[in-house]
Amino acid sequence: MNISRKVLTLDEYTIQQVRQIPNATGELSALLRDIGLAAKRVNVEVNKAGLVDILGDAGSVNVQGEDVKKLDVFANDQFTGVLRHGISCAGIASEELDDYVAFEDSVSRNSKYVVCFDPLDGSGNIDVNVSIGTIFGVYRRVSSKGSIAAKEDFLQKGTQQVAAGYVVYGSSTMLVYATRRGANGFTLDQSIGEFTLSHPDIKCPPKGKIYSVNHGNFFQYDKKVQRYIDICQKKDKSNGGPYTQRYIGSMVADVHRNLIKGGIFMYPGTVDKPKGKLRLLYECNPFAFIVSVAGGKATNGIQRILDIQPTELHQRSPLFIGSKDMMEELEGELDKKE
Ligand code: AHM
Ligand code: MG
């Protein structure tokens, strides 16, 4: 395909990728297109979030007589809807839903993939106009085609992801996705309503100067984690510093910034919540895949996130993720005896 324009849309890019892989069916590119469509719909609603008092509060009926849904419920419905009606997805597991959903129609039964997603991460930030996001991981199903998706399709290790991505609804809206071939970022061009390739072949800088952690929990963290945070604070020019602390409280925005600029993001376990807050399937695994493809690392403090065998859909995991050298410095501290 010879496209003379400089900028490729998400659809053009994914189709171009399919054409380079012999025997590819295009199912993955169709799935990414479906996710892009849902993201655009969610983006429209996120941009209107400040108008909620005018248009009607969630749970009420708006001036057009329509039910106003909470934004995270809306986002969940959009992503579930496009995947249900597409040709590539046999079922979904969502942070919003207690159980996974297997699509029962005959096209879905014969589809190759299942998707785990967090439809609207950081939704506590909506009211105050701070970036929020969607996170997704795509797995090839292990149950046989023709049957409906099964729980084992969703409880796969993160290494089994064929693609993972996120959408950040921010000062501009971006969709970043990775396959084993690389990570690429697409910015929504509002004038044509298309995601366009803006960040080709993203590489996470091996060194960075940003560390991101909830300092309010400092005294709840393990002593070794406290020691690493101390090290971050004491960096000066002689040892690669000074470091800057940046913590938005929206993981998508925090990890996105660190992926582009270099940095480390941590959500450690605490005394009260030893497994931390973040969910393995919907938050940790997709980001671990993307950051690893881009040259960074992700662990739970003991093992690679991508090697953890999930046992429950909603299980949580501590997360340390980011630039390779910073992660190795952290691992050096965590490996030391008390
Ligand atoms: P959510 O899935 O309920 O939105 O929570 C996840 C969010 C992440 O985006 C963010 O990194 C984290 O919660 C912030 O938590 P805290 O306020 O405890 O630091
Ligand atoms: Mg979340």
Side-chain angles (χ1 to χ4, degrees):
M1 184 164 41
N2 188 9
I3 295 170
S4 53
R5 276 176 291 111
K6 272 198 188 136
V7 180
L8 289 179
T9 68
L10 175 65
D11 292 357
E12 287 170 334
Y13 180 82
T14 53
I15 290 166
Q16 200 180 65
Q17 294 297 301
V18 172
R19 292 172 69 104
Q20 288 171 18
I21 306 169
N23 307 323
T25 59
E27 270 190 71
L28 184 61
S29 93
L31 187 144
L32 290 163
R33 188 182 59 225
D34 294 342
I35 287 178
L37 172 62
K40 284 190 264 185
R41 290 182 177 149
V42 171
N43 179 59
V44 170
E45 295 304 308
V46 168
N47 285 339
K48 290 201 303 216
L51 294 171
V52 79
D53 288 340
I54 304 169
L55 301 177
D57 279 325
S60 68
V61 176
N62 71 13
V63 285
Q64 284 91 33
E66 301 156 337
D67 287 336
V68 180
K69 288 185 184 166
K70 281 181 72 183
L71 212 45
D72 40 13
V73 177
F74 176 84
N76 185 61
D77 290 352
Q78 290 304 322
F79 283 96
T80 307
V82 290
L83 293 169
R84 183 191 290 279
H85 295 119
I87 56 160
S88 323
C89 185
I92 57 104
S94 163
E95 196 195 289
E96 278 289 314
L97 304 173
D98 291 340
D99 207 354
Y100 70 91
V101 179
F103 303 144
E104 296 196 357
D105 61 283
S106 62
V107 174
S108 301
R109 281 168 182 257
N110 285 294
S111 297
K112 240 196 236 172
Y113 299 112
V114 296
V115 182
C116 297
F117 61 83
D118 182 351
L120 209 60
D121 182 65
S123 51
N125 279 328
I126 298 169
D127 294 352
V128 286
N129 211 357
V130 169
S131 297
I132 47 180
T134 298
I135 312 166
F136 61 92
V138 182
Y139 298 80
R140 187 166 286 126
R141 64 188 293 190
V142 288
S143 57
S144 41
K145 270 187 167 190
S147 61
I148 62 166
K151 195 166 186 179
E152 63 197 15
D153 295 325
F154 301 95
L155 296 181
Q156 297 191 56
K157 291 183 184 176
T159 42
Q160 298 303 109
Q161 288 169 107
V162 290
Y166 61 87
V167 185
V168 54
Y169 310 98
S171 49
S172 57
T173 293
M174 260 189 89
L175 185 151
V176 174
Y177 85 88
T179 64
R180 274 169 225 288
R181 295 158 69 91
N184 291 280
F186 300 81
T187 301
L188 183 60
D189 180 342
Q190 307 272 5
S191 65
I192 56 168
E194 293 284 357
F195 284 104
T196 50
L197 182 62
S198 52
H199 295 61
D201 198 19
I202 296 172
K203 298 282 181 233
C204 182
K207 291 183 204 304
K209 297 207 169 198
I210 297 171
Y211 73 102
S212 311
V213 69
N214 185 337
H215 263 285
N217 292 337
F218 184 86
F219 293 104
Q220 293 253 330
Y221 298 146
D222 181 272
K223 286 274 172 300
K224 294 176 183 179
V225 174
Q226 291 183 0
R227 203 166 57 211
Y228 177 71
I229 295 173
D230 258 4
I231 291 173
C232 291
Q233 292 177 323
K234 289 176 183 153
K235 290 267 181 195
D236 58 26
K237 270 195 181 149
S238 68
N239 52 14
Y243 279 3
T244 296
Q245 205 275 351
R246 291 277 181 270
Y247 190 72
I248 296 170
S250 266
M251 179 190 188
V252 177
D254 276 314
V255 181
H256 173 69
R257 180 202 52 237
N258 293 3
L259 173 67
I260 304 291
K261 293 194 167 190
I264 187 167
F265 172 92
M266 299 174 269
Y267 205 109
T270 59
V271 176
D272 295 343
K273 295 180 181 162
K275 293 200 161 173
K277 176 181 185 186
L278 303 175
R279 286 73 161 184
L280 179 62
L281 266 57
Y282 316 114
E283 292 160 331
C284 304
N285 267 339
F287 272 116
F289 183 87
I290 299 159
V291 169
S292 302
V293 165
K297 294 180 98 176
T299 77
N300 65 358
I302 297 167
Q303 68 177 135
R304 261 178 18 119
I305 290 288
L306 296 174
D307 291 334
I308 300 172
Q309 175 60 58
T311 53
E312 290 166 44
L313 291 175
H314 292 279
Q315 92 188 52
R316 297 174 195 263
S317 170
L319 176 66
F320 303 89
I321 186 166
S323 291
K324 185 170 164 290
D325 291 0
M326 297 175 90
M327 283 295 297
E328 284 170 3
E329 190 173 26
L330 165 78
E331 283 164 358
E333 287 308 312
L334 299 185
D335 282 347
K336 281 185 191 159
K337 297 225 159 60
E338 287 281 324

